[in-house]
Amino acid sequence: MPIVSMVEHSLYYPVPRNLNYMWNFGSLAGLSLIIMIVTGIVLSMHYTPHTDYAFDSVERIMRDVNYGWLIRYVHMNGGSMFFIVVYLHVFRGLYYGSFKSPRELLWWLGVIILFLMMATAFMGYVLPWGQMSFWAAKVITSMVGAVPLVGESLMELLWGGFTVDNPTLNRFYSLHYLLPFVIFGVVILHIWALHTVKANNPLGIDMKGPQDSVDFHPYYTVKDLFGTGVFLLVFAAFVFYAPNYLGHPDNYIQADPLKTPPHIVPEWYFLPFYTILRSFTDDWWLFQILLGWWGMEAKLAGVLAMAGAVAVLFILPWLDTSRVRSAKFRPLYRVFFWLFVIDCLILGWIGAQPAEQPWTAIGQWATLWYFAYFLVMLPLISRIERPRPLPHSISQSVLGGGGGAAVAAAASPMEKSR
Amino acid sequence: MANTASTEAAGAAGAHDEGAGRRDFLFLAGGAFGAFAAGASAWPLLDSLNPAKDTLAASTTEVDLSPIEQGQAITVKWRGSPVFIRRRTAKEVAEAKAVKPDDLPDPQSDEQRFGSGAREQWLVVVGVCTHLGCIPLGQKDTDNKGEFGGWFCPCHGSHYDISGRIRKGPAPRNLPVPPYTITAENKLIIGKEQPKDGPGGTTA
Ligand code: HEM
Ligand code: FES
């Protein structure tokens, strides 16, 4: 049975012995996906994808369906948990240089998953047909109108009408059901790629022999299980104590196509990208210097920048040319990495503010820094930086020079790697 | 297959060339046919996503204009979107006409938008911000009407004037004027082009 040999292969394949807790988020992302698919399938059995019934059917799930509230709250907060986990997973990759050779393909598959997740979550948020559902859908699909010449027709094609309406809800539901299974497929490729090139590790150096690795099972199955416990605790805390904390109260008002809520905000995981979208205004000097003068509309620039903010991850392997993977040995990169993290947090914070000064200006500087980090700073840093000397091998670093067969140390690799 | 090919290859040189030419042709013709078939079968699937016939059929809305006072605005639904109708005062019309189109981000005179004569007092625009589709404020007296006294979109701060033209903010274009007809009975039909010089006044 190929399945059995696949599982066996996964369990007994060699993994660097020095992985820290940042390596837990991959398995947690997989778990999140499974939780989303299982709860989603059950929700679908009670949900009605029609503008006249969708809102009420979700309320019915909340009030009348046995445990409906639980299943919906798990699905609703599960989306957020999924994004928390995946964002940490991605920043882990940035910090330890996991996107570099030979792991480019693995990285690209990850970026594709991120795009698919965003599309899925966006369309899922429309399904309950609340005010935020409707207006988020309206604002985001209207971005397509920025495409020159065919924008208008593309928008009608997307909506199946002249605005977001029942046909839109129906197709979003269909795609929201479909895409998670596409994600599932890409995840399998992602793991396949991982097993071909093997995991990176906090030192960013290659495994040189059996002394550098341990079997996935039982060492990392146990470690992943521990992480799963912590993850489920946080997850449960949201579901049972603050189920609506990450959502927006306006989504408990049924969608009204004639009335925009005073303050539209996307789900928290889209906030940084929303800021980038909104930063491109006609009077922003950077926009005028770069794009405005040859006649591009600010709206189109904003849309391209927002997509570019994720797409830039695709070309990361060419932007960061340093041969050293781990930020541990890259004094300059490390500083800029943390500045970048702060920048992303600022972008997220601004995304939740109204489109007024001083927020707009702060958002524009943060947007500038976001792209400058990738397109200017990274190539520059990798050229001028002098990395610290790399350890000879993982085992040498972990076991303090012994490099021998002292397997006992594998139980607490984190402390030993310092 | 492989057998046939090798038998042919083993044949006379002339026959072989002829066979190769035929194979190339069959390959190209087959490929072109396949590509066409794929495109032709993809099209119905894609086009099914476009607005359906019933959606298109529901595309006019009628409004009785007689009860609307000067300076009063109402909102009606046309093709799922709000349409702003405002009976403008003479002062508002004068204000809209005083603006030079060349100074605007999306140059259009008030006359180009709403015509002249009896017709010009009626402002009819699709009330959907041309930035990202929010509904601008300004239909109610208590609303924030923005810096140009027309409409203000709170989503990302677009200001429209009393002709519905974009004056400031991220929106690229004026609020669109839908095709509409004003009949002799003072009825407004949104979604139907006014016959030239119809009873409602001159169109531009
Ligand atoms: C990548 C995995 C998924 C993500 C990120 C995701 C995300 C979301 C989000 C954010 C919502 C809105 C929740 C709310 O505010 O009420 C939602 C709703 C919904 N999702 Fe998913 N989803 C995923 C997978 C699935 C799957 C696989 C199905 C079905 C097989 C599904 C079915 C539904 C249904 C029926 C709703 C509407 C009910 C509701 O709003 O609670 N989802 N999804
Ligand atoms: S949608 Fe009106 S300003 Fe953006």
Side-chain angles (χ1 to χ4, degrees):
Chain A
M1 283 282 284
I3 280 281
V4 174
S5 69
M6 212 172 92
V7 169
E8 216 177 287
H9 171 76
S10 322
L11 286 180
Y12 296 103
Y13 98 109
V15 183
R17 67 193 310 160
N18 61 337
L19 299 189
N20 63 28
Y21 279 112
M22 288 310 288
W23 266 260
N24 278 58
F25 294 107
S27 67
L28 292 179
L31 177 66
S32 305
L33 179 62
I34 289 169
I35 292 176
M36 294 311 283
I37 290 181
V38 170
T39 51
I41 289 174
V42 177
L43 280 176
S44 297
M45 298 175 185
H46 305 286
Y47 170 79
T48 314
H50 187 288
T51 48
D52 291 344
Y53 307 108
F55 186 84
D56 291 343
S57 76
V58 172
E59 281 309 302
R60 183 178 162 271
I61 291 173
M62 294 301 291
R63 291 152 199 253
D64 296 335
V65 174
N66 297 334
Y67 291 106
W69 59 273
L70 178 63
I71 300 167
R72 171 162 182 255
Y73 277 158
V74 168
H75 196 78
M76 201 167 112
N77 288 281
S80 286
M81 294 305 291
F82 199 177
F83 273 95
I84 294 177
V85 162
V86 165
Y87 282 154
L88 288 169
H89 189 66
V90 172
F91 278 104
R92 183 284 314 264
L94 292 178
Y95 188 82
Y96 293 110
S98 302
F99 53 88
K100 295 187 185 188
S101 167
R103 296 186 182 80
E104 295 97 329
L105 182 64
L106 179 57
W107 178 258
W108 291 329
L109 288 167
V111 182
I112 291 173
I113 294 173
L114 184 59
F115 265 117
L116 288 170
M117 264 180 77
M118 289 177 157
T120 306
F122 165 67
M123 289 190 276
Y125 192 57
V126 178
L127 303 184
W129 207 245
Q131 270 291 65
M132 278 300 156
S133 296
F134 181 89
W135 288 101
K138 187 78 188 285
V139 165
I140 300 300
T141 51
S142 294
M143 298 186 333
V144 177
V147 175
L149 303 177
V150 293
E152 206 78 13
S153 337
L154 272 183
M155 234 149 61
E156 281 178 14
L157 180 69
L158 198 67
W159 290 335
F162 304 105
T163 180
V164 173
D165 211 332
N166 198 47
T168 326
L169 178 61
N170 276 276
R171 61 193 60 185
F172 277 18
Y173 180 49
S174 169
L175 292 173
H176 184 70
Y177 208 127
L178 170 70
L179 287 188
F181 295 90
V182 177
I183 296 178
F184 198 87
V186 184
V187 166
I188 290 187
L189 297 180
H190 189 72
I191 294 172
W192 185 8
L194 170 72
H195 284 203
T196 309
V197 291
K198 302 284 180 296
N200 186 25
N201 64 80
L203 296 174
I205 58 179
D206 292 331
M207 289 186 282
K208 297 203 171 89
Q211 72 279 11
D212 288 343
S213 68
V214 292
D215 280 351
F216 188 83
H217 182 72
Y219 297 103
Y220 288 112
T221 38
V222 165
K223 192 164 176 165
D224 276 347
L225 265 179
F226 176 71
T228 301
V230 176
F231 169 79
L232 291 178
L233 274 179
V234 177
F235 197 165
F238 273 115
V239 168
F240 293 110
Y241 293 100
N244 292 302
Y245 179 74
L246 296 169
H248 196 293
D250 277 16
N251 224 28
Y252 285 102
I253 304 172
Q254 188 164 4
D256 179 355
L258 298 190
K259 192 161 169 289
T260 310
H263 185 194
I264 300 181
V265 275
E267 291 277 82
W268 70 265
Y269 36 82
F270 291 135
L271 288 174
F273 304 103
Y274 192 52
T275 302
I276 291 177
L277 169 78
R278 293 196 298 180
S279 286
F280 285 80
T281 56
D282 279 312
D283 48 8
W284 187 24
W285 59 269
L286 185 76
F287 165 70
Q288 288 174 349
I289 295 174
L290 286 180
L291 305 161
W293 60 270
W294 55 272
M296 185 190 264
E297 276 178 8
K299 175 171 154 185
L300 180 59
V303 173
L304 292 179
M306 186 168 80
V310 182
V312 71
L313 294 173
F314 275 117
I315 56 168
L316 198 55
W318 292 287
L319 296 173
D320 182 347
T321 52
S322 171
R323 302 279 279 273
V324 176
R325 293 194 193 103
S326 173
K328 229 180 162 97
F329 305 104
R330 302 185 58 191
L332 201 53
Y333 176 81
R334 197 162 55 203
V335 173
F336 279 86
F337 170 84
W338 287 112
L339 287 177
F340 176 69
V341 172
I342 294 171
D343 189 55
C344 290
L345 295 175
I346 293 177
L347 283 170
W349 163 60
I350 295 293
Q353 307 304 321
E356 291 160 16
Q357 297 299 359
W359 320 123
T360 309
I362 300 174
Q364 287 172 336
W365 283 107
T367 299
L368 171 63
W369 184 251
Y370 185 96
F371 287 104
Y373 171 75
F374 282 111
L375 301 176
V376 182
M377 301 318 293
L378 278 188
L380 212 66
I381 292 168
S382 19
R383 227 143 275 165
I384 61 176
E385 180 180 59
R386 233 176 127 229
R388 299 221 315 268
L390 295 175
H392 186 66
S393 74
I394 294 175
S395 56
Q396 186 202 41
S397 168
V398 172
L399 306 173
V407 178
S412 55
M414 261 239 314
E415 289 73 25
K416 287 294 168 66
S417 71
R418 296 249 157 81
Chain B
M1 281 291 288
N3 267 341
T4 334
S6 58
T7 334
E8 255 180 47
H16 169 74
D17 282 344
E18 199 181 298
R22 202 168 63 221
R23 270 198 301 278
D24 280 352
F25 173 77
L26 283 175
F27 176 75
L28 285 176
F33 185 78
F36 176 78
S41 35
W43 174 247
L45 295 175
L46 192 66
D47 195 34
S48 79
L49 299 177
N50 268 319
K53 291 201 181 59
D54 62 332
T55 312
L56 291 170
S59 27
T60 58
T61 299
E62 293 185 14
V63 192
D64 181 11
L65 292 177
S66 8
I68 304 176
E69 307 278 343
Q70 285 218 339
Q72 197 189 346
I74 62 163
T75 306
V76 299
K77 207 163 159 186
W78 174 63
R79 304 203 310 194
S81 295
V83 167
F84 295 164
I85 302 167
R86 182 181 177 86
R87 186 166 177 189
R88 298 184 294 181
T89 61
K91 186 164 153 278
E92 286 170 340
V93 174
E95 191 186 316
K97 291 204 184 291
V99 182
K100 279 206 221 67
D102 291 347
D103 300 342
L104 300 172
D106 181 10
Q108 250 188 343
S109 70
D110 193 63
E111 190 171 342
Q112 279 170 326
R113 288 166 68 73
F114 305 113
S116 53
R119 198 178 157 93
E120 71 185 17
Q121 62 177 328
W122 295 107
L123 171 136
V124 183
V125 292
V126 179
V128 175
C129 182
T130 58
H131 181 227
L132 292 175
C134 291
I135 311 299
L137 300 171
Q139 285 295 86
K140 284 209 253 17
D141 281 340
T142 46
D143 280 352
N144 176 357
K145 291 169 189 284
E147 288 173 24
F148 296 86
W151 289 265
F152 171 68
C153 182
C155 287
H156 318 97
S158 288
H159 301 251
Y160 296 91
D161 68 13
I162 195 64
S163 185
R165 290 173 298 203
I166 180 68
R167 300 297 286 272
K168 186 178 166 193
R173 275 179 307 282
N174 303 334
L175 293 178
V177 180
Y180 65 91
T181 298
I182 298 175
T183 65
E185 300 82 48
N186 216 13
K187 214 170 66 183
L188 172 73
I189 306 169
I190 307 170
K192 181 171 170 237
E193 200 71 58
Q194 177 98 11
K196 280 281 176 219
D197 296 323
T202 344
T203 49

